[in-house]
Amino acid sequence: MLGFMIYKYILAFFVLTLFSVSSDKKTAICRSQTGYAWSLTLCSLIVLAFLVGVNEMRADFVEYLDFFRKSPLLFSDGFLEYAMTQHTEIGYNCFQAFVKMLFHSPTAWFIIFCFVSFAFRYSFYREFVPLADIGIVFFAFFSQEFLRKDCVQIRNGFASSLVLYSLVFLYKESRGKFVATVLSAACFQSTALVALPLVVVRTENSKKYESFLCLFFLCGIVVTLLFPVKKVFFFFEDVGVLPKGIATYLYWSDYAKPMSLTNPMLVKQIFLSVWIIRKRKKWFCDRCIFFLGQIYLVSTVYYLVFRDFEILAGRFGSLFYAVEAPLLLLMIKKSNRHIVIKKLFVYGFYFCFFLYNMLSYQDVLGWRFRWY
C-alpha cells in the first residue's frame, strides 16, 4: 500500500544519508558528501511530497477532496461566502482555490501544498545548520512530526513549517516579520497563534534571563503535576467564565485523552530540556544555541501544561519542537570532539523514534503492521 511505501522510502533515506555524515572539515571528501546530502534531500522532498499527495488512505482525505471539488475558484462570485462557511481557515481556502484555478487537480493541490511546507522547513534548517547536515535534520523531522502531521494533518503540518520559518526573522530580531508570519500560519491552522508569545525571546543572554528560563520550565512541571489544566478549565466552567468554544473540548473524547508522563516524546523533551538547563553555562555562550534552546524549552512547557489534552499538546509543542535536531547538531559542532561518532549517535536516536512511530501510528498512513 502507498502508506507503507512512505515508511519504506523514509527508511531508505535513513540508510542513504548515513553516507553523508562528515566531520565538517573542509576537505574534498567532505565537500562531496555535502553535495550528496543536498541532492539526496532535495530529491526526497519531491518524492515524499508526491507520495503524500497521491495517498488516498490518510486521515480526512475524503473531506479534503470533497472540499476541493466543491470550492469555487479564487476571485469567482461566491468564493468568499463559501470559504467563510467552511471549518478550514481562510488561508487554506484561498491557497487551495488559487491552485485549483491553475491546475484543476486535487492531486496537484495536495502535492504542491506538501512541497511548499517542505520549502519553508528547508529555509529554516539552512539558516541554522550547514548544508552537510541537511539530511540529518530532515530525517529527524521524518522520524517524528512528518508521520503525524504532514502525512495526515496537512493544515497543521503546513502551519508548523511557517512557524518554524518565522523563527528566522525572530533570530534576526525582525519581530514585526515574525508576528506577520505567525499570523499567516494561523490562517492555515489557528493553533499557530500559540507561537506569538515567543516574540519576547532574546538573542543576548544574561544571568537574570537564565534564571527566568529555569523558573519558566519549573512552572511547567509544577502545573502539570499540581494544577492540571483540565481541572483548571473545569473550575472556570463551573463559575461560568470559560468560553463555550473551549468548554466543548473538555467533553470531546479525542481531545480529552491525556498524554502519559511516560510517553516517549514527553520523556525525550523533558530529559533534553533538563540537560540543556544543567549545561547552560557551557552552551548559552553561543548565541545560536542560546536562541534555539529557549524555543525548545517553550516547546517542552507546552507539552507539559497541555498534557491533559494530548492532541493539543502535540499541536502546540510540535509547532517548534523541530528546533531539536539543529540544536543538537550545533552542540556537537561546538564540542569539537568525536563529531562523526556523535552525529551517528543522533542518527540512531532518531531512528529509534522512527521505529516507535512506525509501530505506534501504523493506521494513520493507511496500513497496519502485523507481528507475523
Side-chain angles (χ1 to χ4, degrees), residues 294-333:
Q294 296 173 80
I295 308 299
Y296 192 71
L297 289 176
V298 171
S299 173
T300 305
V301 170
Y302 272 126
Y303 274 113
L304 286 169
V305 172
F306 292 95
R307 186 174 61 87
D308 280 338
F309 303 91
E310 186 176 29
I311 292 180
L312 292 180
R315 288 181 178 179
F316 294 169
S318 66
L319 286 173
F320 23 77
Y321 103 95
V323 303
E324 179 182 280
L327 181 61
L328 291 175
L329 290 173
L330 287 170
M331 291 176 175
I332 291 173
K333 184 177 181 180

Side-chain angles (χ1 to χ4, degrees), residues 332-350:
I332 291 173
K333 184 177 181 180
K334 190 173 180 61
S335 69
N336 203 29
R337 295 179 58 189
H338 310 299
I339 290 179
V340 173
I341 294 176
K342 291 177 180 177
K343 285 184 178 180
L344 289 173
F345 177 79
V346 169
Y347 251 124
F349 176 76
Y350 285 115

